DNA sequence: CTTTTAAGCTAATGGCATTAGCTTCGCTCG
DNA sequence: CGAGCGAAGCTAATGCCATTAGCTTAAAAG
């Protein structure tokens, strides 16, 4: 019986694939094991349990999004940077709707996820720098940005918009209304 | 052995209590049955299966929120009505965070839920009437309102805001930025 | 070539959803 | 008031999943 050559990373890879194909609620150790060509209990050599696997997937998603953020923001500043970040956020959620649903919304409250959450935060802070906001105003501005990005992305990726009206236009209005307040 | 006197409504009541106490992910037929003082299979006399129970809970939540909307909007109009609706939305989500998480985001796509979704929609339409928006502008305006309300409420009810800055102020800014665009 | 470590396996337990089929409460009607 | 019936609830059984324990053995280290 040859060895499958698994690793924690490979297990998380498989978990992400399961989520992409069947939805975040269908993430199951049995499904991941099947995809890895391994018996279910074998996964416990690489992952503590299902809850930990979920956390690792959450971390993966946070990191991926932070990478997109960094990519979108480099070489831009001000309104252009904010717009690029918002589009990167939405693009990630629509490209991987199930994965987006698996992203934890409170990364700063979980030690394993805090670093990835902070990476995202710092990119946004940098984009807002030109406006020279005070500490408190900056917090409120980042929150509003996050509310709009997450609100829109979670609704869109879950099929929550029923009418045929152009969604790009709605998103543009949201971004513009934010920029107008600065 | 006396009879428990259950009904579909009573089962949904118990399900909502389970969700309130243990979170939406812990909604289980076994937990509902225990709360009703009944064996698990007995629930199938009142509810098709777990998926249907989830739908019924979703309907209950949609209806409750529509009631709050109606209550908040009556006797008000214009900016005052919009503000009241937004506060009613947030108040419901913070009063019942787990229940809020159980609210379906695509009610218009499910026949059983469409009526409740439409009730909410109509209250919002009425509140926006003073601005005399065209059909398309109205759709975008309602979407932006929903994005902000849902984005904020889902983050807040999930503990997604990490910093101690005043959340009322952030929400106020969101509402103001919306009203400024009209 | 031996030793050792850890990867993977099988077996077993317990929780949950769901189905089938039985029992009996409690209402309706003669 | 008693017979009959429909629905409410029950027990038993199946199958899936997570998790644990303990065994086997591949493959790296010496």
């Amino acid at each position: 019986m040859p060895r499958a050559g698994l690793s924690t990373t490979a297990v998380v890879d498989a978990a992400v694939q399961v989520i992409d194909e069947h939805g975040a609620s269908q993430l199951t150790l049995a499904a991941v094991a099947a995809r890895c060509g391994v018996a279910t209990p074998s996964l416990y050599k690489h992952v503590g349990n299902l809850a930990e696997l979920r956390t690792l997937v959450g971390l993966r998603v946070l990191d991926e999004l932070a990478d997109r953020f960094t990519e979108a923001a480099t070489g831009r500043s001000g309104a252009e940077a904010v717009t690029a970040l918002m589009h990167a956020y939405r693009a990630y959620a629509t490209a991987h709707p199930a994965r987006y649903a698996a992203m934890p919304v409170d990364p700063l409250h979980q030690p394993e996820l805090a670093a990835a959450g902070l990476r995202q935060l710092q990119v946004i802070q940098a984009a807002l720098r030109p406006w020279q906001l005070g500490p408190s105003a900056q917090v409120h501005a980042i929150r509003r940005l996050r509310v709009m990005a997450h609100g829109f992305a979670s609704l869109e990726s879950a099929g929550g918009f029923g009418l045929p009206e152009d969604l790009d236009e709605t998103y543009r209005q949201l971004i513009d209304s934010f920029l107008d307040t600065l």
Side-chain angles (χ1 to χ4, degrees), chain A:
Chain A
M1 32 194 102
R3 205 146 281 198
L6 282 187
S7 65
T8 301
T9 303
V11 172
V12 174
D13 288 345
V16 169
Q17 288 177 28
V18 169
I19 287 175
D20 281 346
E21 290 176 22
H22 302 103
S25 68
Q26 300 300 307
L27 176 61
T28 199
L29 288 181
V32 172
R35 176 171 296 271
C36 292
V38 133
T40 304
S42 306
L43 296 179
Y44 287 84
K45 294 286 156 130
H46 305 282
V47 139
N49 50 38
L50 179 59
E52 184 187 307
L53 178 57
R54 288 208 187 98
T55 299
L56 291 171
V57 168
L59 176 58
R60 168 77 60 92
V61 173
L62 286 169
D63 275 333
E64 284 182 354
L65 188 53
D67 289 346
R68 307 286 186 102
F69 268 21
T70 305
E71 192 182 323
T74 51
R76 298 185 224 261
S77 72
E80 198 192 356
V82 169
T83 304
L85 286 176
M86 290 292 280
H87 284 307
Y89 195 101
R90 183 185 171 203
Y92 184 81
T94 53
H96 311 292
R99 231 182 277 187
Y100 180 77
M103 186 172 75
V105 297
D106 58 344
L108 299 186
H109 287 147
Q110 296 174 255
E112 319 89 298
L113 307 177
L118 280 178
R119 272 178 67 210
Q120 295 186 9
L121 200 54
Q122 283 159 359
V123 179
I124 303 173
Q125 283 178 333
L128 293 179
R129 198 166 298 144
W131 282 279
Q132 309 237 349
L133 303 173
S136 176
Q138 192 191 52
V139 169
H140 293 303
I142 293 176
R143 280 182 183 163
R144 280 185 285 136
L145 222 34
R146 183 168 176 228
V147 161
M148 295 197 286
H150 170 69
F152 190 95
S154 63
L155 289 172
E156 183 180 27
S157 66
F161 292 123
L163 299 175
E165 226 74 27
D166 185 24
L167 283 167
D168 294 350
E169 169 64 15
T170 304
Y171 203 56
R172 197 186 58 67
Q173 290 183 12
L174 282 166
I175 298 171
D176 286 351
S177 78
F178 173 79
L179 292 173
D180 282 349
T181 66
L182 295 180

